[in-house]
Amino acid sequence: MEQIEREVKEKARRAREAARHLAYLSTEVKDRALLAMADSLVRNQERILEANEIDVRAGREKGLSRALIDRLLLTPERIADMAEGLRAVASLPDPVGEVESMWLRPNGLQVGRMRVPLGVVGMIYEARPNVTVDAAGLCLKAGNAVVLRGGSEAINSNRAIVAVIAAAAEGAGIPAGAIELIEHTDRAAVNVMLKLNGLLDVLIPRGGAGLIRTVVENATVPVIETGVGNCHVYVDDGADLEMARSIVINAKCQRPGVCNAMETLLVHRQVAEELLPGLLEDLRAAGVEVRGCAKTRELVPWAVPATEEDWATEYLDLILAVKVVESMEEAMEHIYRYGTRHSEAIVTRDYARARRFLREVDAAAVYVNASTRFTDGYQYGFGAEIGISTQKLHARGPMGLKELTTYKYIVFGEGQIRS
């Protein structure tokens, strides 16, 4: 334990020292580093894929679910996407140094607000190697150093990725220590990070409910809580049912192991009989296990009976809970009770209902006639994201570059003194 604590603190100190210099590096140097990191990922993909194969094989031997294996798995296409994400971040405006406003006081002082980096970001996440790249790239562009602690399932992948991108960044002029990886997979390393006040400025947990709860409940370092995604799609009375079918299948099946995938389908009783039998057959053919309320099972007898626990569960798998509701009010009440304030959607032709759903449903992202799968920094034009924040302080929704900065006040005077 003492050795782990020493090593974690040493990496955090290195990151702290790097952050001092990162804070005022030019945009040109940061962008050059991001492009070098992207090229290095592609150039070294065989090394990364070999390391990832070890992790995937071990995960299958441990019995990880299909969804977790999918999160863990890297392919040449996914590495190319990771590299493209870094290039996209390089092309974005640099928020650091931006003066958002400036005003003149009666005494002649000019007061302004300038964007500055957070400092050192601690990332604690699970079996998603792509998070390693997204976090490093976004933190670097926003002038932050980052201390990464990924899940044990992805340790070999993360070691290979960090070795590749950190070397490329340093070669392009980024200070050593700006991208640090905690290689200890023991839970003790996380416990140390949670208490590193003075070395880490903020912690961002990204993963399942258990991980996020552990960090939020035990950290003394400030935390930005990223989201558990118990996401819903509500199909309203009079909705375009072909549109609804397309949205539902995409929201559940396109990538079920991610936080913006739909977990519960709510259907107005007026369209349930027409929509559900065919739609749920399509979902079953796609490998989805359907768990339905009593009304759903009247229409689709093969559905598994849904329990109270199903309404509150983020499956991250090809499992779907289905409930027939009497009204939009009942749908919104269900979302209020069981949702996690991540992403919620309505499929409707009714403009007034769409407006009401947008106004009354409390979530980081609320959709009308679109899949919840779009809650993503890249899809929103942020280049990438470090996570989806479901809290209301200091950021909400996909966290891009601006959400990785804070601000300071700058004041210009001409010798004024306070009387």
Side-chain angles (χ1 to χ4, degrees):
M1 174 60 190
E2 288 183 6
Q3 181 183 353
I4 292 174
E5 183 173 358
R6 277 197 308 274
E7 292 183 15
V8 171
K9 285 184 174 179
E10 179 55 32
K11 295 207 170 192
R13 288 190 190 98
R14 281 166 50 85
R16 191 94 202 152
E17 184 62 24
R20 288 179 55 210
H21 305 287
L22 270 171
Y24 55 79
L25 274 185
S26 70
T27 303
E28 179 185 4
V29 171
K30 292 187 289 187
D31 289 348
R32 184 170 66 234
L34 289 164
L35 296 176
M37 290 158 63
D39 291 344
S40 191
L41 278 174
V42 175
R43 191 169 57 249
N44 291 282
Q45 69 173 356
E46 289 305 319
R47 172 183 175 182
I48 295 167
L49 291 172
E50 287 173 7
N52 181 249
E53 186 179 349
I54 296 170
D55 290 331
V56 170
R57 187 165 58 246
R60 287 186 174 128
E61 290 171 357
K62 287 166 61 176
L64 294 184
S65 69
R66 289 173 298 173
L68 285 176
I69 291 295
D70 178 63
R71 286 181 163 206
L72 179 59
L73 179 67
L74 292 177
T75 64
E77 293 74 22
R78 288 185 179 181
I79 291 176
D81 287 344
M82 288 153 56
E84 190 55 37
L86 290 174
R87 296 187 185 105
V89 171
S91 71
L92 293 172
D94 187 348
V96 178
E98 175 187 345
V99 178
E100 294 183 331
S101 56
M102 183 75 75
W103 58 96
L104 184 65
R105 299 294 298 143
N107 61 4
L109 288 177
Q110 293 185 73
V111 182
R113 199 159 78 169
M114 177 187 286
R115 284 269 152 204
V116 295
L118 291 172
V120 182
V121 176
M123 278 291 299
I124 301 173
Y125 54 106
E126 293 178 334
R128 292 186 65 179
N130 65 296
V131 174
T132 304
V133 175
D134 290 346
L138 285 164
C139 285
L140 190 154
K141 180 70 179 250
N144 301 299
V146 64
V147 178
L148 302 157
R149 200 284 187 176
S152 59
E153 298 86 356
I155 185 60
N156 294 290
S157 306
N158 288 335
R159 281 178 181 144
I161 289 169
V162 170
V164 164
I165 62 175
E170 289 175 32
I174 299 299
I179 304 170
E180 290 285 349
L181 176 69
I182 304 300
E183 298 190 28
H184 288 288
T185 58
D186 192 295
R187 182 67 61 86
V190 171
N191 294 336
V192 174
M193 288 181 71
L194 300 183
K195 312 292 184 185
L196 287 184
N197 301 71
L199 292 176
L200 301 183
D201 292 286
V202 65
L203 283 167
I204 303 175
R206 184 167 170 178
L211 169 68
I212 293 169
R213 186 168 56 250
T214 295
V215 173
V216 170
E217 291 178 355
N218 294 285
T220 56
V221 175
V223 176
I224 298 176
E225 185 175 348
T226 63
V228 174
N230 189 17
C231 305
H232 301 75
V233 173
Y234 164 58
V235 181
D236 190 29
D237 178 21
D240 180 328
L241 297 188
E242 188 55 38
M243 177 191 291
R245 176 187 173 280
S246 174
I247 288 171
V248 167
I249 290 173
N250 179 265
K252 180 71 258 182
C253 300
Q254 196 262 343
R255 198 170 179 193
V258 291
C259 61
N260 57 22
M262 174 187 63
E263 304 292 18
T264 298
L265 171 63
L266 304 171
V267 179
H268 195 288
R269 66 177 178 82
Q270 295 285 5
V271 296
E273 187 171 353
E274 183 178 355
L275 176 67
L276 284 180
L279 172 59
L280 297 189
E281 282 291 351
D282 289 343
L283 288 166
R284 179 161 72 161
V288 177
E289 177 187 323
V290 175
R291 301 178 183 180
C293 68
K295 181 61 177 177
T296 299
R297 296 185 66 246
E298 285 179 20
L299 299 171
V300 184
W302 53 261
V304 175
T307 66
E308 179 71 14
E309 184 181 0
D310 286 313
W311 307 129
T313 299
E314 181 190 31
Y315 299 112
L316 299 174
D317 204 349
L318 287 171
I319 304 171
L320 177 66
V322 183
K323 184 177 184 181
V324 176
V325 296
E326 292 295 313
S327 63
M328 187 176 81
E329 288 76 15
E330 184 182 346
M332 292 194 296
E333 180 62 30
H334 184 99
I335 291 168
Y336 173 78
R337 181 174 179 183
Y338 298 104
T340 54
R341 300 182 177 183
H342 192 295
S343 301
E344 309 293 354
I346 183 174
V347 184
T348 186
R349 287 191 176 110
D350 190 306
Y351 177 78
R353 288 186 186 177
R355 295 275 296 178
R356 184 180 172 195
F357 192 87
L358 289 173
R359 184 175 65 249
E360 296 185 19
V361 170
D362 184 14
V366 184
Y367 295 86
V368 175
N369 297 332
S371 171
T372 58
R373 283 286 290 115
F374 285 105
T375 307
D376 173 270
Y378 191 79
Q379 295 295 326
Y380 282 13
F382 300 162
E385 111 241 330
I386 204 163
I388 310 293
S389 171
T390 53
Q391 64 184 39
K392 298 182 181 180
L393 301 173
H394 117 105
R396 198 175 198 197
M399 294 177 57
L401 289 173
K402 186 162 281 192
E403 288 73 28
L404 288 172
T405 63
T406 181
Y407 56 82
K408 65 182 176 184
Y409 286 94
I410 55 174
V411 183
F412 292 92
E414 296 175 322
Q416 289 91 333
I417 59 174
R418 183 169 177 174
S419 59

